[in-house]
Amino acid sequence: HADEQQWGVRIEIGRALAASGTKEGAIGLAEVFGAETDPRVMRFLADSCGGMRDPVLATALEEWLARPRPLPYIATGSALSALGRQRGTDHLDTLRAACLDRSWWGWVRRGAMTGLGATRTEEARRFLVGKVDYSAEVQQVRVMAIAALATAARWQEEGPRKQTLEKLTDLTRDVDYGVRMAAIMAIRALGDLAGVPAMKAATRSLAGQDRPRV
């Protein structure tokens, strides 16, 4: 990998290592991710790290995220999302702290929130509930927080799931069209049939071309 000059090939090497599903593949992927210097490749190698769960990858992601700033913001968002997919509760502080980042277009915050949802924890669900309201975040970050909220809530007990469904139902009446669509799709992802009436009602506020999708 270190000798390969074509950056697209290095991306494919990382994907192949992740697809191997082996401990050796995880070790190799951690090594190439840590050694990569091209931001174009870092992003995809981070995504590959999220494709399998292994302590060596969790460590590699944490060490990469602890590097001196500034880091490439798109790659950072991908690394945070991949860290969440390792599903370690000891990563929650890293992910919550990244939600304070203010780099361009919310790439880092979006990755952090996606990562929080991927941890499948009640702690993450409670945190994300505070990020979906109109005054909490900008539109593009709210959309990702809504999707992440549904991901986390799907794995919780009935009470937290019902509370999340109520919040998502409220968001189907949001003033922002993208947020309404995100809330509808999040209800679908939550997988609770009690949300079907809210989805049907919210469909009336959508453009004609989006209704068949719902």
Side-chain angles (χ1 to χ4, degrees):
H1 184 279
D3 296 330
E4 177 55 56
Q5 298 300 308
Q6 218 294 322
W7 62 272
V9 174
R10 297 204 301 278
I11 290 172
E12 294 305 322
I13 290 172
R15 288 172 173 165
L17 288 167
S20 73
T22 64
K23 184 68 174 182
E24 292 78 8
I27 293 170
L29 180 56
E31 290 176 354
V32 299
F33 176 56
E36 185 57 58
T37 59
D38 189 331
R40 296 173 297 180
V41 183
M42 289 176 182
R43 172 188 183 181
F44 292 100
L45 292 182
D47 287 338
S48 293
C49 289
M52 62 191 304
R53 286 186 291 125
D54 192 281
V56 71
L57 291 174
T59 298
L61 289 162
E62 282 276 18
E63 290 178 350
W64 189 90
L65 288 164
R67 291 180 179 182
R69 277 6 187 206
L71 293 170
Y73 50 83
I74 297 179
T76 301
S78 295
L80 290 162
S81 177
L83 183 64
R85 294 202 294 275
Q86 301 301 314
R87 301 201 192 110
T89 55
D90 50 336
H91 305 315
L92 289 172
D93 287 344
T94 298
L95 294 167
R96 283 189 292 243
C99 291
L100 300 175
D101 182 272
R102 284 295 178 266
S103 57
W104 185 76
W105 203 242
W107 279 103
V108 172
R109 302 201 303 284
R110 289 154 70 187
M113 291 181 192
T114 299
L116 281 165
T119 66
R120 300 179 178 180
T121 62
E122 171 61 7
E123 294 92 334
R125 188 199 70 85
R126 289 197 299 265
F127 181 88
L128 289 164
V129 165
K131 298 295 182 179
V132 298
D133 289 330
Y134 181 78
S135 60
E137 268 292 358
V138 294
Q139 191 263 5
Q140 66 270 22
V141 178
R142 290 179 71 203
V143 166
M144 298 303 292
I146 289 166
L149 173 61
T151 301
R154 186 180 178 93
W155 298 90
Q156 307 315 314
E157 299 294 331
E158 182 178 5
R161 288 203 314 273
K162 294 299 184 185
Q163 292 172 3
T164 302
L165 178 58
E166 291 177 0
K167 172 61 74 172
L168 294 174
T169 299
D170 291 343
L171 290 169
T172 64
R173 298 184 293 274
D174 195 85
V175 296
D176 186 281
Y177 186 90
V179 168
R180 294 201 302 274
M181 176 61 82
I184 293 169
M185 303 311 287
I187 291 173
R188 174 191 172 200
L190 186 62
D192 191 328
L193 290 175
V196 172
M199 291 178 69
K200 289 183 175 179
T203 301
R204 293 193 292 269
S205 75
L206 300 180
Q209 68 267 23
D210 289 327
R211 292 174 187 170
R213 179 181 170 196
V214 174

